[in-house]
Amino acid sequence: YNKIICVSEDVRKGFYKLYGTDFDVVVLHNVIDEEEIFNKAEEPLADLKKNADEIQLLAVGRLTQQKNFAYLVRTCGMLRDHAYKFHLNILGEGPEKKNLQMQIRELNLDDRIILRGFVSNPYPWMKMSDIIVCSSKYEGISTVIQEALILGKPIVTTPCTGMRELLGNSEYGLIANDSEEGLYSALKQLFDESDIMNEYKI
């Protein structure tokens, strides 16, 4: 091969760690069509019932252990136990669906969390949401977070691969400590401090 291309700086570092530095490795982020995202975000959501007094959370991705949605569900249990008003929509299909459904039922979160399944156009969901959440254990670089930035959405994420590359040291989105308590604390901060939420929108 003449060149090896990685989707993030963290991936390049991981490649060098595994195979050494005797390779021509460059970083090239995924190409994203901003105009298409803005246009698709304008499509209506017919089946959405949104309560004005609830913070709308959104997570997008395949229902796999990598995406760690079980972590997010437990965090939502902590938010509910501390009397926060919110609703979480999760867009995606995958092998963890039954486990997540069972966990949601066991934690009595059926009225707070909905698994929406596969959605061909997630951008209207992003547009109407107040916070985009990423609970992943690892990523190459998160396309969902890049799209959320384009739409001006506040972000809360675990410190998985590529997030500091996209968000700096929490300048452009809140990178939580790597624990359920850390994710809870980051969400709580945005729930409690609307001025910080507005700063992230800008």
Side-chain angles (χ1 to χ4, degrees):
Y1 297 97
N2 297 323
K3 196 177 293 292
I4 297 167
I5 300 173
C6 296
V7 296
S8 71
E9 188 60 44
D10 283 339
V11 171
R12 175 161 64 177
K13 288 175 182 174
F15 181 92
Y16 282 151
K17 186 176 179 181
L18 283 170
Y19 301 111
T21 57
D22 296 330
F23 297 91
D24 184 8
V25 182
V26 297
V27 173
L28 181 64
H29 290 167
N30 294 327
V31 177
I32 295 177
D33 188 335
E34 293 187 19
E35 186 176 349
E36 181 183 29
I37 290 171
F38 286 126
N39 289 337
K40 286 186 173 182
E42 295 304 315
E43 293 181 11
L45 286 174
D47 61 340
L48 177 68
K49 294 179 181 178
K50 182 176 177 180
N51 295 328
D53 63 338
E54 291 180 339
I55 298 288
Q56 296 294 318
L57 306 176
L58 179 70
V60 183
R62 271 182 49 76
L63 307 184
T64 62
Q65 290 188 4
Q66 171 203 341
K67 299 297 184 182
N68 212 13
F69 289 124
Y71 199 80
L72 178 55
V73 170
R74 290 192 295 271
T75 300
C76 285
M78 295 168 70
L79 289 169
R80 187 269 321 276
D81 292 345
H82 289 85
Y84 286 102
K85 294 183 178 180
F86 68 93
H87 191 88
L88 169 65
N89 291 296
I90 299 177
L91 310 185
E93 286 286 352
E96 286 294 300
K97 184 173 184 177
K98 287 185 178 178
N99 290 336
L100 289 170
Q101 288 172 329
M102 188 182 306
Q103 184 182 21
I104 290 166
R105 282 195 300 271
E106 287 174 352
L107 293 174
N108 296 315
L109 290 169
D110 302 81
D111 60 334
R112 303 293 188 104
I113 301 173
I114 296 180
L115 302 179
R116 296 282 179 179
F118 173 76
V119 175
S120 60
N121 179 11
Y123 306 120
W125 291 93
M126 286 188 181
K127 183 182 175 184
M128 75 86 192
S129 298
D130 299 304
I131 302 171
I132 309 300
V133 187
C134 174
S135 56
S136 294
K137 295 177 180 178
Y138 57 89
E139 296 279 348
I141 198 164
S142 175
T143 301
V144 171
I145 296 304
Q146 289 173 288
E147 292 165 341
L149 287 167
I150 288 168
L151 290 172
K153 292 288 141 181
I155 294 158
V156 173
T157 179
T158 52
C160 58
T161 314
M163 290 306 179
R164 297 201 185 278
E165 200 165 335
L166 292 173
L167 305 176
N169 190 26
S170 288
E171 287 98 336
Y172 304 106
L174 198 51
I175 301 174
N177 292 331
D178 194 11
S179 66
E180 289 172 33
E181 291 76 13
L183 191 58
Y184 164 76
S185 295
L187 285 166
K188 178 180 181 296
Q189 184 177 359
L190 291 195
F191 278 40
D192 290 343
E193 302 180 46
S194 59
D195 55 332
I196 295 178
M197 185 118 75
N198 290 330
E199 284 179 21
Y200 279 134
K201 288 179 185 177
I202 294 167

